[in-house]
């Protein structure tokens, strides 16, 4: 034990660092609450009990996650660290990054942050140069701009842009495009929104179109159809893996809320 004495400060600092990393990972990946509480205790106070939990979490969760997909785990932690920054700070940093390198990704990142901050006009202005340049038909640009149009209550402009998206780009692009297009058509009172929602559901990569279509059906007074769709969503949630349930949590929760409306 005496031989370890000189190394104890280093070991304690290492465990506290692991507690911080573990806490970020636990929050980002939505781990059980007891993990988050104990890791928070270790990160803030550095107590032996909390630090012991940091070591346990490292070996039971972090290392297996790294083995199963080190890059994905690292990206999750990086996103968690980034998410801790105030939104205004992230916007300022994104603006500086854009000034250094005016790329499609940097503009899209800045626009997304501005939209999250409740500044859709600024976000649309950030994207505007891309809509008339070489990226005018890029799905990322068109989809992001269409989402901003919907947020600004301009569904007609959103529909125009969405009709320019190449649906063959990927299944995810097709799902997102058709879901937004159905929303834009619905906002304008167009009857074709019904078929567009159905098309979005076919081969969908997310549960969003089914949840949004159920809401549409309820607004149309077609409660029996909505109930059948929501029951199917509930069965999907029951059979889904924990990863998929976390990934689609927003839409499963939306479906649960809609089921309560129908009771």
């Amino acid at each position: 034990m005496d031989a370890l004495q000189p190394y104890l400060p280093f070991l304690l600092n290492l465990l506290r660092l692991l507690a911080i990393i573990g806490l970020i990972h636990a929050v980002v990946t939505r781990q059980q609450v007891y993990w988050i509480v104990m890791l928070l205790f270790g990160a803030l106070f550095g107590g032996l009990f909390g630090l012991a939990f940091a070591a346990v979490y490292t070996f039971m969760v972090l290392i297996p996650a790294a083995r199963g997909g080190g890059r994905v785990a690292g990206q999750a932690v990086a996103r968690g660290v980034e998410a801790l920054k105030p939104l205004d700070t992230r916007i300022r940093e994104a603006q500086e990054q854009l000034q250094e390198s005016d790329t499609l990704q940097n503009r899209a990142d800045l626009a997304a942050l501005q939209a999250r901050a409740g500044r859709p006009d600024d976000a649309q202005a950030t994207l505007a140069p891309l809509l008339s340049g070489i990226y005018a038909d890029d799905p990322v640009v068109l989809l992001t701009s269409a989402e901003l149009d919907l947020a600004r209550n301009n569904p007609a402009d959103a529909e125009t842009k969405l009709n320019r998206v190449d649906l063959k780009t990927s299944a995810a692009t097709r799902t997102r495009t058709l879901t937004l297009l159905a929303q834009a058509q619905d906002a304008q009172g167009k009857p074709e929104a019904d078929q567009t929602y159905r098309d979005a559901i076919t081969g969908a990569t997310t549960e969003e179109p089914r949840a949004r279509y159920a809401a549409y059906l309820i607004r149309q007074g077609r409660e029996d159809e909505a109930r059948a769709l929501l029951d199917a969503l509930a069965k999907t949630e029951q059979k889904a893996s924990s990863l998929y349930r976390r990934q689609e949590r927003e839409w499963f929760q939306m479906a649960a809320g809609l089921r309560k409306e129908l009771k």
Side-chain angles (χ1 to χ4, degrees):
M1 189 69 179
D2 291 339
L4 291 175
Q5 193 69 31
Y7 302 102
L8 283 179
F10 170 76
L11 291 174
L12 290 175
N13 287 332
L14 177 61
L15 286 172
R16 194 161 189 176
L17 176 61
L18 288 174
I20 295 171
I21 294 173
L23 176 62
I24 294 171
H25 180 271
V27 171
V28 170
T29 58
R30 296 190 178 97
Q31 299 293 330
Q32 296 292 330
V33 174
Y34 70 86
W35 280 124
I36 296 174
V37 171
M38 294 311 302
L39 289 167
L40 180 62
F41 187 85
L44 291 178
F45 304 108
L48 289 177
F49 196 52
L51 294 178
F53 252 84
V56 172
Y57 187 84
T58 298
F59 285 102
M60 289 186 63
V61 182
L62 280 180
I63 292 178
R67 285 176 178 169
R71 194 166 117 191
V72 174
Q75 289 174 341
V77 173
R79 287 195 299 269
V81 172
E82 186 68 16
L84 293 176
K85 295 180 181 178
L87 193 52
D88 287 343
T89 299
R90 295 172 65 190
I91 289 174
R92 185 174 64 253
E93 291 177 351
Q95 289 171 331
E96 293 172 354
Q97 185 68 27
L98 180 60
Q99 289 175 354
E100 293 177 8
S101 179
D102 192 346
T103 65
L104 166 62
Q105 190 60 57
N106 286 343
R107 279 196 175 273
D109 289 346
L110 175 57
L113 289 171
Q114 290 170 326
R116 281 188 57 192
R119 295 158 51 182
D121 290 338
D122 289 345
Q124 194 68 275
T126 298
L127 285 177
L130 299 178
L131 292 168
S132 58
I134 61 173
Y135 297 112
D137 292 319
D138 188 285
V140 172
V141 175
L142 292 172
L143 285 170
T144 305
S145 185
E147 286 186 78
L148 291 170
D149 282 332
L150 287 173
R152 297 162 70 210
N153 295 316
N154 292 327
D157 289 345
E159 183 179 13
T160 299
K161 290 167 186 171
L162 291 166
N163 282 325
R164 290 166 52 193
V165 177
D166 183 2
L167 299 182
K168 297 179 182 178
T169 302
S170 69
T173 296
R174 181 182 184 279
T175 299
R176 189 72 188 125
T177 301
L178 291 176
T179 303
L180 288 171
L181 181 58
Q183 291 176 253
Q185 292 170 340
D186 181 23
Q188 298 173 82
K190 293 187 174 183
E192 54 262 44
D194 185 280
Q195 185 58 51
T196 305
Y197 270 123
R198 292 176 180 270
D199 292 340
I201 291 170
T202 303
T205 58
T206 172
E207 301 301 330
E208 181 182 5
R210 282 206 289 178
R212 290 196 181 278
Y213 185 43
Y216 170 83
L217 291 173
I218 292 173
R219 292 195 299 274
Q220 296 294 314
R222 296 156 61 183
E223 295 187 353
D224 289 342
E225 293 177 68
R227 189 174 287 106
L229 190 59
L230 292 170
D231 287 344
L233 265 167
K235 291 179 181 178
T236 298
E237 183 177 9
Q238 290 173 357
K239 296 179 181 179
S241 66
S242 57
L243 175 62
Y244 190 73
R245 283 198 298 271
R246 288 198 299 269
Q247 176 185 312
E248 300 300 307
R249 182 180 181 181
E250 179 180 357
W251 312 118
F252 287 137
Q253 288 181 338
M254 180 179 178
L258 293 172
R259 280 193 293 274
K260 290 180 180 178
E261 286 185 28
L262 291 175
K263 290 182 179 180

